[in-house]
Amino acid sequence: MASSTVVFISGAGRGIGRSLAEAYLSRPNHTVVGSVRDPTSANAQEIKAFPAAEGSRFLLVKIESSSFSDPAAAVKEAEAAGVDHIDVLIANAGGAGGSISPLDKVTPQDVTDVFNINALGPLALYQAAKPLLDKSKAPKFLGISSAVGSIGNMENFRAHVAPAYGIAKAGLNWISVAAHSGNKEYISFVVHPGLVQTDGGNRAAKGMGLPQAPHTKKQSTDAILALLDNATREKTSGKFFDAIAGTEIPW
């Protein structure tokens, strides 16, 4: 186990999280810990059946993103299965909540609900996983954010139409930079994965008048993996990237 690369991915049941889990499993000598809301679901059983490269394996754990206690229980379950460190922690699970509401209409409860899932959920995951991240020789913490969370480009992105989601992703961005600032051995950064052909991505694209999202899950996954594989403390950590373009996004 000590020589295995361990990757922990929240929200591995669908979308980009599922695609990332499958990609890492295709690499030899990798242990992939993936969280889903319901480990007994048919979807979860499909993930467990993903083909694994030589020396690789998949562990399925339960995390409901609105639960702040689930991450700690999931990490303990992984430890019981022999995981003694985490090399790559990917806070992927999230959600946009209900329909888009303008700033003068969105309710505090809507903002709270979306913030809990997209910011406080990753915070709880980070806190639970940190003791195992600290045991890695090269720990990486990646947050799957969104361009909607950029304050500097809000007007250009017209992100003001999604205040709950934008506030939540800006919170995730802050957490990522704090992890970078407080841990000099970490590589911690966030990415906008692109407008991807997932359920949520396609809904957002239709709201923009597009037939579907322009980027495939494979395009986004390959771009994210390239960023992670080549990430350095000096060039990558503490920053916000557009995964598809490979360029920085202003905070």
Side-chain angles (χ1 to χ4, degrees):
M1 179 62 61
S3 62
S4 177
T5 298
V6 180
V7 183
F8 193 120
I9 305 170
S10 68
R14 60 181 181 173
I16 295 169
R18 178 175 175 140
S19 186
L20 285 167
E22 191 170 12
Y24 272 117
L25 268 178
S26 71
R27 297 182 175 187
N29 201 32
H30 275 63
T31 294
V32 180
V33 184
S35 78
V36 296
R37 283 179 286 186
D38 180 8
T40 67
S41 68
N43 188 45
Q45 300 313 306
E46 287 179 10
I47 301 166
K48 288 176 68 175
F50 280 160
E54 183 178 356
S56 294
R57 62 170 180 152
F58 182 73
L59 298 175
L60 190 68
V61 295
K62 176 186 179 296
I63 295 180
E64 165 56 55
S65 295
S66 61
S67 168
F68 302 145
S69 60
D70 275 4
V75 169
K76 286 182 180 178
E77 186 176 346
E79 288 182 296
V83 171
D84 60 4
H85 70 284
I86 294 174
D87 298 295
V88 182
L89 177 65
I90 303 177
N92 165 74
S99 59
I100 291 174
S101 299
L103 189 63
D104 54 334
K105 299 286 187 180
V106 69
T107 69
Q109 189 60 55
D110 286 341
V111 175
T112 299
D113 291 344
V114 177
F115 192 85
N116 283 345
I117 291 170
N118 291 278
L120 298 187
L123 174 60
L125 176 66
Y126 166 80
Q127 291 175 337
K130 189 176 187 303
L132 294 186
L133 269 175
D134 288 342
K135 294 181 180 180
S136 171
K137 295 179 180 178
K140 296 178 181 179
F141 174 46
L142 173 67
I144 303 298
S145 187
S146 168
V148 176
S150 169
I151 296 173
N153 260 357
M154 185 185 298
E155 192 168 1
N156 290 340
F157 292 153
R158 294 186 56 78
H160 63 279
V161 302
Y165 194 54
I167 290 168
K169 288 302 187 183
L172 172 61
N173 294 352
W174 191 97
I175 291 165
S176 174
V177 177
H180 158 83
S181 301
N183 300 276
K184 300 308 180 183
E185 302 301 318
Y186 279 31
I187 295 173
S188 176
F189 64 105
V190 288
V191 297
H192 166 59
L195 191 53
V196 184
Q197 292 168 10
T198 61
D199 292 342
N202 285 330
R203 281 196 301 270
K206 288 177 181 177
M208 299 175 185
L210 301 172
Q212 68 175 359
H215 305 123
T216 66
K217 284 183 284 187
K218 186 177 188 308
Q219 284 176 308
S220 180
T221 298
D222 288 348
I224 292 169
L225 288 174
L227 278 169
L228 277 166
D229 289 344
N230 297 294
T232 66
R233 173 78 184 179
E234 296 72 27
K235 295 182 178 180
T236 314
S237 196
K239 297 180 180 180
F240 185 8
F241 291 95
D242 179 324
I244 299 293
T247 56
E248 274 193 70
I249 298 175
W251 297 114

